[in-house]
Short mmCIF file of all heavy atoms in Angstrom, two decimals:
data_model
loop_
_atom_site.label_atom_id
_atom_site.label_comp_id
_atom_site.label_asym_id
_atom_site.label_seq_id
_atom_site.Cartn_x
_atom_site.Cartn_y
_atom_site.Cartn_z
N ALA A 1 0.82 -1.20 0.00
CA ALA A 1 0.00 0.00 0.00
C ALA A 1 0.86 1.26 0.00
O ALA A 1 0.48 2.27 -0.59
CB ALA A 1 -0.95 0.00 1.19
N ASN A 2 2.01 1.21 0.67
CA ASN A 2 2.92 2.35 0.66
C ASN A 2 4.27 2.00 0.04
O ASN A 2 5.23 2.76 0.18
CB ASN A 2 3.10 2.93 2.06
CG ASN A 2 3.65 1.94 3.06
OD1 ASN A 2 3.98 0.80 2.71
ND2 ASN A 2 3.78 2.37 4.30
N ASN A 3 4.34 0.85 -0.63
CA ASN A 3 5.53 0.42 -1.36
C ASN A 3 6.76 0.43 -0.46
O ASN A 3 7.80 1.00 -0.81
CB ASN A 3 5.75 1.31 -2.59
CG ASN A 3 6.50 0.59 -3.70
OD1 ASN A 3 6.99 -0.52 -3.52
ND2 ASN A 3 6.60 1.24 -4.85
N THR A 4 6.65 -0.24 0.68
CA THR A 4 7.73 -0.32 1.64
C THR A 4 8.11 -1.77 1.88
O THR A 4 7.24 -2.63 2.04
CB THR A 4 7.34 0.34 2.97
OG1 THR A 4 7.01 1.71 2.74
CG2 THR A 4 8.49 0.27 3.97
N VAL A 5 9.41 -2.04 1.89
CA VAL A 5 9.95 -3.37 2.16
C VAL A 5 10.69 -3.32 3.49
O VAL A 5 11.40 -2.35 3.78
CB VAL A 5 10.88 -3.83 1.03
CG1 VAL A 5 11.46 -5.20 1.34
CG2 VAL A 5 10.11 -3.88 -0.29
N TYR A 6 10.54 -4.37 4.29
CA TYR A 6 11.13 -4.43 5.61
C TYR A 6 12.08 -5.61 5.73
O TYR A 6 11.91 -6.63 5.06
CB TYR A 6 10.05 -4.56 6.70
CG TYR A 6 9.01 -3.47 6.66
CD1 TYR A 6 7.81 -3.66 5.99
CD2 TYR A 6 9.24 -2.25 7.29
CE1 TYR A 6 6.86 -2.66 5.95
CE2 TYR A 6 8.29 -1.25 7.26
CZ TYR A 6 7.10 -1.46 6.59
OH TYR A 6 6.15 -0.46 6.55
N LEU A 7 13.05 -5.48 6.61
CA LEU A 7 13.91 -6.58 7.00
C LEU A 7 13.96 -6.61 8.51
O LEU A 7 14.60 -5.76 9.13
CB LEU A 7 15.31 -6.45 6.42
CG LEU A 7 16.24 -7.64 6.67
CD1 LEU A 7 15.77 -8.87 5.89
CD2 LEU A 7 17.68 -7.31 6.31
N GLN A 8 13.25 -7.56 9.10
CA GLN A 8 13.27 -7.75 10.55
C GLN A 8 14.44 -8.65 10.89
O GLN A 8 14.51 -9.78 10.41
CB GLN A 8 11.96 -8.37 11.04
CG GLN A 8 11.91 -8.65 12.53
CD GLN A 8 11.93 -7.39 13.36
OE1 GLN A 8 11.20 -6.45 13.06
NE2 GLN A 8 12.76 -7.35 14.39
N MET A 9 15.36 -8.15 11.71
CA MET A 9 16.58 -8.87 12.05
C MET A 9 16.57 -9.17 13.54
O MET A 9 16.61 -8.26 14.36
CB MET A 9 17.81 -8.04 11.67
CG MET A 9 17.85 -7.61 10.22
SD MET A 9 19.38 -6.75 9.77
CE MET A 9 19.19 -5.27 10.76
N ASN A 10 16.51 -10.45 13.87
CA ASN A 10 16.52 -10.90 15.25
C ASN A 10 17.77 -11.71 15.53
O ASN A 10 18.44 -12.18 14.62
CB ASN A 10 15.28 -11.75 15.54
CG ASN A 10 13.98 -11.01 15.39
OD1 ASN A 10 13.91 -9.81 15.65
ND2 ASN A 10 12.93 -11.72 14.98
N SER A 11 18.08 -11.88 16.81
CA SER A 11 19.24 -12.66 17.24
C SER A 11 20.49 -12.23 16.50
O SER A 11 21.25 -13.06 15.98
CB SER A 11 18.97 -14.16 17.04
OG SER A 11 17.84 -14.58 17.76
N LEU A 12 20.73 -10.95 16.46
CA LEU A 12 21.84 -10.40 15.70
C LEU A 12 23.18 -10.86 16.25
O LEU A 12 23.36 -11.01 17.47
CB LEU A 12 21.77 -8.88 15.67
CG LEU A 12 20.73 -8.32 14.69
CD1 LEU A 12 20.41 -6.87 15.03
CD2 LEU A 12 21.24 -8.45 13.26
N LYS A 13 24.13 -11.07 15.34
CA LYS A 13 25.47 -11.51 15.66
C LYS A 13 26.48 -10.48 15.18
O LYS A 13 26.20 -9.74 14.24
CB LYS A 13 25.77 -12.86 14.98
CG LYS A 13 24.77 -13.96 15.30
CD LYS A 13 25.08 -15.20 14.47
CE LYS A 13 24.09 -16.31 14.75
NZ LYS A 13 24.37 -17.51 13.92
N PRO A 14 27.67 -10.44 15.78
CA PRO A 14 28.68 -9.50 15.29
C PRO A 14 28.97 -9.64 13.81
O PRO A 14 29.26 -8.64 13.14
CB PRO A 14 29.90 -9.82 16.15
CG PRO A 14 29.32 -10.33 17.43
CD PRO A 14 28.10 -11.11 17.02
N GLU A 15 28.90 -10.85 13.28
CA GLU A 15 29.17 -11.06 11.87
C GLU A 15 28.09 -10.50 10.95
O GLU A 15 28.24 -10.49 9.73
CB GLU A 15 29.39 -12.55 11.55
CG GLU A 15 28.31 -13.45 12.10
CD GLU A 15 28.69 -14.10 13.42
OE1 GLU A 15 29.20 -13.38 14.31
OE2 GLU A 15 28.48 -15.32 13.56
N ASP A 16 26.97 -10.02 11.52
CA ASP A 16 25.96 -9.33 10.75
C ASP A 16 26.32 -7.87 10.50
O ASP A 16 25.62 -7.18 9.75
CB ASP A 16 24.60 -9.39 11.45
CG ASP A 16 24.05 -10.81 11.55
OD1 ASP A 16 24.15 -11.56 10.57
OD2 ASP A 16 23.50 -11.15 12.62
N THR A 17 27.37 -7.38 11.12
CA THR A 17 27.79 -5.99 10.96
C THR A 17 28.14 -5.71 9.50
O THR A 17 28.97 -6.40 8.91
CB THR A 17 28.99 -5.68 11.86
OG1 THR A 17 28.60 -5.81 13.23
CG2 THR A 17 29.49 -4.26 11.61
N ALA A 18 27.50 -4.70 8.93
CA ALA A 18 27.70 -4.36 7.52
C ALA A 18 26.86 -3.14 7.19
O ALA A 18 26.02 -2.71 7.98
CB ALA A 18 27.30 -5.53 6.61
N VAL A 19 27.10 -2.59 6.00
CA VAL A 19 26.17 -1.63 5.42
C VAL A 19 25.12 -2.42 4.67
O VAL A 19 25.45 -3.27 3.84
CB VAL A 19 26.88 -0.64 4.49
CG1 VAL A 19 25.86 0.31 3.85
CG2 VAL A 19 27.92 0.16 5.26
N TYR A 20 23.87 -2.16 4.96
CA TYR A 20 22.76 -2.87 4.34
C TYR A 20 22.12 -2.00 3.28
O TYR A 20 21.82 -0.83 3.51
CB TYR A 20 21.72 -3.27 5.39
CG TYR A 20 22.13 -4.46 6.22
CD1 TYR A 20 23.18 -4.35 7.13
CD2 TYR A 20 21.50 -5.69 6.07
CE1 TYR A 20 23.58 -5.45 7.88
CE2 TYR A 20 21.90 -6.79 6.82
CZ TYR A 20 22.94 -6.67 7.71
OH TYR A 20 23.33 -7.76 8.45
N TYR A 21 21.93 -2.58 2.10
CA TYR A 21 21.36 -1.87 0.96
C TYR A 21 20.06 -2.50 0.52
O TYR A 21 19.95 -3.73 0.44
CB TYR A 21 22.33 -1.90 -0.23
CG TYR A 21 23.65 -1.22 0.01
CD1 TYR A 21 24.73 -1.95 0.50
CD2 TYR A 21 23.83 0.13 -0.26
CE1 TYR A 21 25.95 -1.34 0.72
CE2 TYR A 21 25.05 0.74 -0.05
CZ TYR A 21 26.11 0.00 0.44
OH TYR A 21 27.32 0.61 0.66
N CYS A 22 19.10 -1.66 0.20
CA CYS A 22 17.88 -2.09 -0.45
C CYS A 22 18.04 -1.94 -1.96
O CYS A 22 18.69 -0.99 -2.42
CB CYS A 22 16.71 -1.24 0.05
SG CYS A 22 15.12 -1.61 -0.68
N ALA A 23 17.49 -2.86 -2.72
CA ALA A 23 17.57 -2.79 -4.17
C ALA A 23 16.24 -3.18 -4.81
O ALA A 23 15.50 -4.00 -4.26
CB ALA A 23 18.68 -3.69 -4.70
N SER A 24 15.99 -2.59 -5.96
CA SER A 24 14.77 -2.83 -6.72
C SER A 24 15.11 -3.47 -8.06
O SER A 24 16.05 -3.05 -8.72
CB SER A 24 14.02 -1.51 -6.93
OG SER A 24 12.90 -1.68 -7.77
N ALA A 25 14.34 -4.49 -8.45
CA ALA A 25 14.53 -5.12 -9.74
C ALA A 25 13.90 -4.30 -10.85
O ALA A 25 13.06 -3.43 -10.60
CB ALA A 25 13.94 -6.54 -9.72
N ARG A 26 14.27 -4.61 -12.08
CA ARG A 26 13.76 -3.85 -13.21
C ARG A 26 12.37 -4.30 -13.65
O ARG A 26 11.74 -3.61 -14.46
CB ARG A 26 14.73 -3.92 -14.40
CG ARG A 26 14.90 -5.31 -14.99
CD ARG A 26 15.94 -5.28 -16.09
NE ARG A 26 16.17 -6.60 -16.66
CZ ARG A 26 17.13 -6.88 -17.53
NH1 ARG A 26 17.96 -5.92 -17.92
NH2 ARG A 26 17.25 -8.11 -18.00
N ASP A 27 11.91 -5.43 -13.13
CA ASP A 27 10.59 -5.93 -13.49
C ASP A 27 10.07 -6.82 -12.38
O ASP A 27 10.65 -6.89 -11.29
CB ASP A 27 10.64 -6.68 -14.83
CG ASP A 27 11.71 -7.74 -14.88
OD1 ASP A 27 11.92 -8.42 -13.86
OD2 ASP A 27 12.35 -7.90 -15.94
N THR A 28 8.97 -7.50 -12.64
CA THR A 28 8.33 -8.34 -11.63
C THR A 28 8.89 -9.75 -11.57
O THR A 28 8.44 -10.55 -10.74
CB THR A 28 6.81 -8.43 -11.88
OG1 THR A 28 6.57 -8.99 -13.17
CG2 THR A 28 6.17 -7.05 -11.80
N ASN A 29 9.83 -10.10 -12.43
CA ASN A 29 10.39 -11.44 -12.43
C ASN A 29 11.11 -11.74 -11.12
O ASN A 29 11.80 -10.89 -10.57
CB ASN A 29 11.35 -11.62 -13.60
CG ASN A 29 10.65 -11.62 -14.94
OD1 ASN A 29 9.45 -11.89 -15.03
ND2 ASN A 29 11.39 -11.32 -15.99
N TRP A 30 10.95 -12.95 -10.62
CA TRP A 30 11.61 -13.41 -9.41
C TRP A 30 12.16 -14.80 -9.65
O TRP A 30 11.61 -15.58 -10.42
CB TRP A 30 10.62 -13.41 -8.24
CG TRP A 30 11.24 -13.77 -6.93
CD1 TRP A 30 11.80 -12.93 -6.03
CD2 TRP A 30 11.39 -15.09 -6.39
NE1 TRP A 30 12.29 -13.63 -4.95
CE2 TRP A 30 12.04 -14.96 -5.14
CE3 TRP A 30 11.02 -16.37 -6.83
CZ2 TRP A 30 12.34 -16.05 -4.34
CZ3 TRP A 30 11.32 -17.46 -6.03
CH2 TRP A 30 11.97 -17.30 -4.80
N SER A 31 13.24 -15.13 -8.97
CA SER A 31 13.86 -16.43 -9.09
C SER A 31 14.36 -16.89 -7.74
O SER A 31 14.81 -16.07 -6.93
CB SER A 31 15.04 -16.38 -10.08
OG SER A 31 15.77 -17.59 -10.07
N PRO A 32 14.28 -18.20 -7.46
CA PRO A 32 14.89 -18.70 -6.22
C PRO A 32 16.41 -18.61 -6.23
O PRO A 32 17.04 -18.80 -5.18
CB PRO A 32 14.41 -20.16 -6.17
CG PRO A 32 14.14 -20.52 -7.58
CD PRO A 32 13.62 -19.27 -8.22
N GLU A 33 17.00 -18.36 -7.38
CA GLU A 33 18.42 -18.07 -7.49
C GLU A 33 18.58 -16.56 -7.57
O GLU A 33 18.31 -15.96 -8.62
CB GLU A 33 19.01 -18.74 -8.73
CG GLU A 33 20.48 -18.40 -8.97
CD GLU A 33 21.33 -18.66 -7.75
OE1 GLU A 33 21.37 -19.83 -7.29
OE2 GLU A 33 21.96 -17.70 -7.26
N PRO A 34 19.03 -15.91 -6.50
CA PRO A 34 19.00 -14.43 -6.48
C PRO A 34 19.88 -13.78 -7.54
O PRO A 34 19.58 -12.66 -7.96
CB PRO A 34 19.49 -14.09 -5.06
CG PRO A 34 20.21 -15.31 -4.60
CD PRO A 34 19.50 -16.47 -5.24
N SER A 35 20.93 -14.47 -8.00
CA SER A 35 21.79 -13.88 -9.01
C SER A 35 21.09 -13.73 -10.35
O SER A 35 21.58 -13.00 -11.22
CB SER A 35 23.05 -14.73 -9.19
OG SER A 35 22.74 -16.02 -9.68
N ARG A 36 19.96 -14.38 -10.54
CA ARG A 36 19.22 -14.28 -11.79
C ARG A 36 18.21 -13.13 -11.78
O ARG A 36 17.55 -12.91 -12.81
CB ARG A 36 18.50 -15.59 -12.09
CG ARG A 36 19.45 -16.78 -12.25
CD ARG A 36 18.74 -18.01 -12.77
NE ARG A 36 18.23 -17.81 -14.12
CZ ARG A 36 17.54 -18.72 -14.79
NH1 ARG A 36 17.27 -19.89 -14.23
NH2 ARG A 36 17.11 -18.45 -16.02
N ILE A 37 18.08 -12.42 -10.68
CA ILE A 37 17.21 -11.26 -10.62
C ILE A 37 18.01 -10.02 -10.99
O ILE A 37 19.10 -9.80 -10.47
CB ILE A 37 16.59 -11.09 -9.22
CG1 ILE A 37 15.83 -12.37 -8.82
CG2 ILE A 37 15.66 -9.88 -9.17
CD1 ILE A 37 15.30 -12.34 -7.40
N SER A 38 17.47 -9.21 -11.87
CA SER A 38 18.17 -8.02 -12.37
C SER A 38 17.85 -6.82 -11.49
O SER A 38 16.93 -6.05 -11.77
CB SER A 38 17.78 -7.75 -13.82
OG SER A 38 18.15 -8.82 -14.66
N PHE A 39 18.63 -6.66 -10.44
CA PHE A 39 18.49 -5.49 -9.57
C PHE A 39 19.24 -4.32 -10.20
O PHE A 39 20.45 -4.42 -10.46
CB PHE A 39 19.04 -5.77 -8.17
CG PHE A 39 18.24 -6.79 -7.42
CD1 PHE A 39 18.66 -8.10 -7.33
CD2 PHE A 39 17.05 -6.42 -6.80
CE1 PHE A 39 17.91 -9.04 -6.64
CE2 PHE A 39 16.29 -7.35 -6.11
CZ PHE A 39 16.73 -8.67 -6.03
N ASN A 40 18.55 -3.23 -10.44
CA ASN A 40 19.16 -2.11 -11.16
C ASN A 40 19.04 -0.77 -10.47
O ASN A 40 19.56 0.23 -10.97
CB ASN A 40 18.58 -2.01 -12.58
CG ASN A 40 17.11 -1.66 -12.60
OD1 ASN A 40 16.40 -1.80 -11.59
ND2 ASN A 40 16.63 -1.19 -13.74
N THR A 41 18.37 -0.71 -9.34
CA THR A 41 18.25 0.52 -8.57
C THR A 41 18.61 0.23 -7.13
O THR A 41 18.10 -0.73 -6.54
CB THR A 41 16.84 1.13 -8.66
OG1 THR A 41 16.49 1.35 -10.03
CG2 THR A 41 16.77 2.45 -7.91
N TRP A 42 19.47 1.08 -6.54
CA TRP A 42 20.01 0.83 -5.21
C TRP A 42 19.84 2.03 -4.32
O TRP A 42 19.98 3.17 -4.76
CB TRP A 42 21.50 0.47 -5.29
CG TRP A 42 21.75 -0.79 -6.05
CD1 TRP A 42 21.78 -0.94 -7.40
CD2 TRP A 42 21.99 -2.08 -5.49
NE1 TRP A 42 22.02 -2.26 -7.72
CE2 TRP A 42 22.15 -2.98 -6.57
CE3 TRP A 42 22.08 -2.57 -4.19
CZ2 TRP A 42 22.41 -4.34 -6.38
CZ3 TRP A 42 22.32 -3.91 -3.99
CH2 TRP A 42 22.49 -4.78 -5.08
N GLY A 43 19.56 1.78 -3.04
CA GLY A 43 19.53 2.84 -2.06
C GLY A 43 20.92 3.22 -1.61
O GLY A 43 21.93 2.64 -2.04
N GLN A 44 21.00 4.20 -0.72
CA GLN A 44 22.28 4.71 -0.24
C GLN A 44 22.92 3.82 0.82
O GLN A 44 24.11 3.91 1.06
CB GLN A 44 22.11 6.12 0.31
CG GLN A 44 21.80 7.17 -0.75
CD GLN A 44 22.96 7.40 -1.67
OE1 GLN A 44 22.99 6.88 -2.80
NE2 GLN A 44 23.94 8.16 -1.22
#
């Protein structure tokens, strides 16, 4: 409804430390193999 995607992160570990980026694909296609999805727009 407001075009928002969430990532709920529980039981966080030190190895989860990173910069996290949101990305949008160029179309509605989805694959269980993430490398086959064409993400072309990235947040900061």
Side-chain angles (χ1 to χ4, degrees):
N2 60 3
N3 207 352
T4 301
V5 179
Y6 304 95
L7 186 68
Q8 178 66 46
M9 305 185 293
N10 297 328
S11 301
L12 283 162
K13 305 174 181 179
E15 51 262 46
D16 295 318
T17 296
V19 177
Y20 283 70
Y21 298 91
C22 179
S24 175
R26 65 184 178 188
D27 52 38
T28 60
N29 291 338
W30 185 90
S31 172
E33 176 53 59
S35 64
R36 299 189 65 182
I37 303 175
S38 298
F39 293 100
N40 66 342
T41 303
W42 297 80
Q44 291 292 101

